Amino acid sequence: MKIAPTVFAVLAFSSLAQAASFDCAKASSRSEKQICADPQLSKLDEDMARAFQAVRGRLSADASKLFVSGQRAWLRFQSSYCFVDASGKPAQAAESLACQIDLYKSRIVSLERSGKPVWGIPAFAYFQGALRTGAPGAEPAVSYQRREVFLLDSPAPIAQALNSVLRPLAAVEGGDADSSYESSVVLVPLGADLLLIENRFEGFGGAHPVSGTGLSYFSRPLQRLVSYADVFNSPKWKDLAHKLALQHFKKQGKDADEVSAIEVD
């Protein structure tokens, strides 16, 4: 299966920023033909190529390698995922077109968010995905995993320590899992020394859809995730945990009496 033309225009390291620089007269795959035939998708392909080049031009050599590999993974995933339906059969043209448009828009947003700093360190989008089509009559006929995280571009120990926590969150199961999942990781600085890591995921596992958010906290002084022992054995961490709990419950709409009654033993 051929992948989207952006690979040839961007990932072949062409100096051209326009994804549409490929020769549409030679388009052969469904993805290529859709990009050439649909003005909206063609424009999105060009926009993504420009966004990709803009980010890549600001990254270090090591970060650029990861960034490029993540973009390749995204291109491979969308060019497969958008052309098969839930039964494992080829998707209808309107369905695959709508899928590509949605994924392109989402990817452009991620690329445009790249470069925004975390603790003063530039971050960049990293994607991994896998699609599995089962044998005829298998259940499920199609399963997938797609995961996105933002990694930090710096050789500093704190950046490398945080990346060692974040990068596994993008790992996929090679398309062999029986359940479909998609996740994205959001980093929320809580001051100079603490970072909230929200692993937001949605999927379909077994007989029931599942969704949720996994929360963890990364400590800059400790250069690792905060453990239960850190929280309950340190007055400083215990006080901070209490404050975060209060903030959480207030966001959940708890009234003042309920919130004031919360204690951390």
Side-chain angles (χ1 to χ4, degrees), residues 108-191:
I108 290 170
V109 169
S110 294
L111 294 177
E112 290 177 343
R113 287 176 55 203
S114 294
K116 292 185 178 180
V118 176
W119 283 335
I121 303 172
F124 61 94
Y126 178 67
F127 176 92
Q128 291 292 288
L131 180 76
R132 173 182 177 271
T133 302
E139 288 293 341
V142 175
S143 62
Y144 67 89
Q145 295 85 42
R146 58 183 182 192
R147 307 179 190 275
E148 180 184 77
V149 302
F150 279 80
L151 302 177
L152 274 61
D153 181 13
S154 172
I158 186 61
Q160 296 304 307
L162 183 53
N163 283 348
S164 70
V165 171
L166 296 173
R167 192 170 175 183
L169 298 179
V172 297
E173 301 171 12
D176 295 328
D178 290 333
S179 299
S180 295
Y181 286 94
E182 53 188 276
S183 69
S184 60
V185 175
V186 178
L187 306 179
V188 183
L190 300 174

Side-chain angles (χ1 to χ4, degrees), residues 50-66:
R50 283 191 290 268
F52 173 86
Q53 290 285 38
V55 174
R56 184 168 175 263
R58 299 192 299 265
L59 296 177
S60 65
D62 289 342
S64 181
K65 290 178 182 178
L66 275 176

Side-chain angles (χ1 to χ4, degrees), residues 31-50:
S31 178
E32 292 171 343
K33 290 176 180 179
Q34 279 195 336
I35 290 173
C36 290
D38 186 81
Q40 182 182 6
L41 182 56
S42 179
K43 176 65 164 54
L44 288 170
D45 197 41
E46 294 174 2
D47 290 345
M48 186 178 71
R50 283 191 290 268

